Amino acid sequence: LGFLWAIIEPLLMVAAFVGIFSSIRSGSPGGMPLVPFMLVGIVPFTLFRDTMGQMQGAIALNRMLFAFPQVTTFDVIIARGLLEILLMGGVFIMLLFGIHVAGWPINVERPLGVLAACLLLGMMGMGLGFVFASISPIMPSMRQISSAMLGRPLFLSSGIFFTAETVPPAVREYLLYNPFMHMLELLRSAFFYEFESPYGDWNYATTWAVCTLAFGLLVHQAVKRRAIIGL
């Protein structure tokens, strides 16, 4: 049921947003087909969000494994993160194939660019996942704090259902501080022949992803013993 829900949830979100946008506007953002546009925004963001969320509870949910000396906190956290990235990657491919069969032709302009942008989102998820997984056993309220800070605010400000060029310049200036906005702009630029964003910056997005992952690993290294004691 968990694997099935991983497919159903983004489908429901795509259907909901397509229904809303179809009722309030006639055109499609940036000339991109509406259904693939929404799918290419929602599923990659879900990859980041679910990777972070699944890693967050890895230590507490696998506490029995620490009875084996060869199993470390790093092992259980990284395993949950990699599993989620592979799962959402498979879901993304399945849903793209599904909408292609349903009548929305899928022609990817630069597949390696799409893969690179998805990997950056995965790295961000793993970096924050390491931070929250390490701190949550010590501070149980961290799950609620992370959800409040990185849930809806990021969902609404990361360009999932809009592009940077459709936003007023005064607002765009602040939204472009959000690395997820850059990642989704780069992802759509690599995916769609109809769209090329002047706002996505590979250097900015990559720096954020690498630094977040490095910070997460440092936090885990610093508090991993206290995290086990906190269980």
Side-chain angles (χ1 to χ4, degrees), residues 40-229:
V40 172
I42 288 172
V43 178
F45 185 82
T46 303
L47 181 150
F48 153 76
R49 185 198 64 189
D50 287 2
T51 298
M52 179 184 69
Q54 291 297 324
M55 292 174 72
Q56 187 169 346
I59 294 178
L61 293 174
N62 294 279
R63 65 182 70 185
M64 299 301 294
L65 291 177
F66 299 129
F68 300 96
Q70 62 268 39
V71 178
T72 66
T73 53
F74 177 84
D75 297 332
V76 298
I77 296 173
I78 196 73
R80 291 295 291 266
L82 291 176
L83 174 63
E84 197 62 31
I85 288 173
L86 291 173
L87 171 63
M88 290 311 302
V91 168
F92 193 26
I93 293 170
M94 289 175 60
L95 293 180
L96 288 174
F97 178 75
I99 65 173
H100 179 78
V101 172
W104 288 277
I106 300 298
N107 298 304
V108 182
E109 182 180 5
R110 299 190 300 275
L112 289 179
V114 173
L115 178 60
C118 289
L119 287 176
L120 292 180
L121 286 162
M123 288 173 66
M124 288 288 289
M126 293 189 75
L128 292 173
F130 268 109
V131 173
F132 297 134
S134 304
I135 298 177
S136 291
I138 305 169
M139 188 190 307
S141 60
M142 182 55 65
R143 181 177 289 272
Q144 288 73 28
I145 295 172
S146 65
S147 178
M149 293 175 58
L150 301 175
R152 191 170 299 173
L154 277 182
F155 185 83
L156 296 175
S157 64
S158 297
I160 294 173
F161 45 87
F162 60 90
T163 62
E165 64 183 5
T166 62
V167 178
V171 178
R172 184 193 306 137
E173 179 183 356
Y174 294 99
L175 288 180
L176 288 176
Y177 285 109
N178 179 356
F180 298 102
M181 185 82 180
H182 287 263
M183 293 174 191
L184 290 180
E185 289 284 301
L186 292 167
L187 176 57
R188 288 187 172 124
S189 296
F191 193 96
F192 295 102
Y193 283 92
E194 303 92 339
F195 180 72
E196 192 65 42
S197 173
Y199 301 104
D201 187 333
W202 281 106
N203 291 330
Y204 185 78
T206 303
T207 300
W208 263 95
V210 171
C211 291
T212 301
L213 182 57
F215 178 70
L217 293 171
L218 285 172
V219 169
H220 175 256
Q221 186 66 23
V223 303
K224 60 183 180 181
R225 295 186 182 278
R226 290 185 60 196
I228 294 178
I229 295 172

